[in-house]
Amino acid sequence: LLLLRDQSAVEGKSAIVFGVSRSGESTEVLQALQEAQSIAGWVTAGVTCYQDSGMARMTSCLVSDKGKEQSTVMTKSLSSMVMAMQSAIAAASGQPLYGEELERTVSEVSGVVDKAKRLASDIIQSQTFNKTLILGMGALSGIAQEGCLKLKEMANVWTESFGTLEFRHGPKAIVDKGTCVILLLSERAREQELKVAAEMKDYGAYIILVTASAGTDTAFADQVLEIGLPDVSDESRIILYLPFLQYYGTFTAIKLGLNPDYPKNLTQVVIL
């Protein structure tokens, strides 16, 4: 929006531009919002964890006060801001079901965090991987990317994410014994995604499934984390997939003798 606007958005149409910044001070975000405010028909808004930030002073913001954290790496702030955005969208939709599903999701968080911590710790202590690949599609595509980011930031380990069905084409060439494949399993495409995971198991990969519910169809996996709520939409459940990915990065970093809260080259706020 700031440097290549004609390649990413169409002027002359109404638009709302959301800035997302934990600190509310990230230079590129503030500059992009300033640019958007100069375009006729465009409205700006933001999502942050700090009510007194530059972004909150610049435009209307959802403020997730409970997302404040000391760590350089975003964990609870990311989950909190995602839920804030989803709640706003649910309210704007005028469909009560979405809000009800999000309330049910929040009620499950603490239990999922505890299970995710135990499982991630056990796996990292007992296994050694030469690479980790994270698969997800639809609403879970961005969550898979976020999991990769946590592992890169905390543990300085290279990893990649792929759309689940995309992965069975060229990318599966990199799978071998010693590869960990984490599949964020949707309910909407469950059968097709599990076929991909089973194929990777045949190539020697260690398979971890993060799923709403386990069953006979998931028995082939090396580890299965049940996060619950199979009857809600994949979209409403997405924050429940994050704790395992965050703990996977945390315990990998600790195993490598690194501090997951303060990675090299990183600061909490990117100011240019």
Side-chain angles (χ1 to χ4, degrees):
L1 288 177
L2 179 62
L3 302 175
L4 303 169
R5 189 169 72 237
D6 59 337
Q7 298 179 23
S8 59
V10 178
E11 292 187 40
K13 294 186 177 182
S14 298
I16 181 167
V17 179
F18 273 90
V20 182
S21 169
R22 171 178 59 179
S23 66
E25 301 292 351
S26 299
T27 301
E28 306 103 309
V29 177
L30 297 184
Q31 290 179 348
L33 287 173
Q34 287 175 335
E35 184 77 5
Q37 288 175 341
S38 70
I39 301 171
W42 285 23
V43 177
T44 59
V47 186
T48 183
C49 295
Y50 291 87
Q51 187 171 351
D52 57 351
S53 63
M55 189 168 75
R57 292 192 298 270
M58 176 188 299
T59 190
S60 299
C61 283
L62 295 168
V63 179
S64 178
D65 187 65
K66 292 184 177 180
K68 294 177 181 176
E69 58 198 348
Q70 295 182 341
S71 174
T72 298
V73 177
M74 291 174 61
T75 51
K76 70 176 181 178
S77 59
L78 187 282
S79 301
S80 185
M81 288 191 292
V82 167
M83 179 54 68
M85 286 186 280
Q86 288 188 293
S87 298
I89 293 166
S93 75
Q95 299 186 55
L97 174 63
Y98 294 144
E100 294 167 6
E101 286 190 341
L102 293 175
E103 289 180 7
R104 291 181 61 195
T105 296
V106 170
S107 72
E108 296 292 322
V109 168
S110 60
V112 170
V113 167
D114 291 340
K115 289 194 294 184
K117 182 178 182 179
R118 290 194 298 271
L119 181 60
S121 177
D122 290 345
I123 291 171
I124 297 304
Q125 287 180 27
S126 63
Q127 304 293 325
T128 299
F129 305 119
N130 59 45
K131 66 178 79 71
T132 296
L133 307 168
I134 306 177
L135 309 183
M137 58 188 288
L140 295 170
S141 176
I143 303 299
Q145 293 180 35
E146 175 66 14
C148 285
L149 180 61
K150 296 306 95 169
L151 191 53
K152 290 174 183 176
E153 289 179 326
M154 293 176 172
N156 304 149
V157 171
W158 185 258
T159 178
E160 292 189 77
S161 68
F162 296 91
T164 309
L165 300 188
E166 168 202 7
F167 187 71
R168 64 151 38 116
H169 295 271
K172 70 180 182 182
I174 63 177
V175 173
D176 57 13
K177 187 175 177 59
T179 299
C180 178
V181 173
I182 302 172
L183 170 58
L184 310 182
L185 183 61
S186 73
E187 288 301 293
R188 194 171 300 166
R190 182 183 180 102
E191 181 180 354
Q192 293 84 354
E193 290 187 283
L194 286 174
K195 289 179 181 178
V196 175
E199 182 180 345
M200 300 312 129
K201 175 77 172 178
D202 290 341
Y203 298 146
Y206 186 95
I207 304 296
I208 303 172
L209 302 178
V210 185
T211 178
S213 61
T216 56
D217 58 349
T218 63
F220 70 89
D222 295 283
Q223 298 287 349
V224 179
L225 174 64
E226 286 189 273
I227 58 175
L229 301 182
D231 59 327
V232 309
S233 63
D234 292 331
E235 294 86 348
S236 294
R237 203 190 309 110
I238 61 174
I239 66 163
L240 299 181
Y241 295 81
L242 285 167
F244 176 77
L245 300 174
Q246 293 166 347
Y247 277 123
Y248 188 93
T250 298
F251 289 119
T252 300
I254 292 170
K255 185 175 183 176
L256 295 173
L258 302 174
N259 185 336
D261 286 320
Y262 302 103
K264 67 177 184 180
N265 304 336
L266 299 183
T267 57
Q268 260 210 0
V269 187
V270 177
I271 297 177
L272 304 179

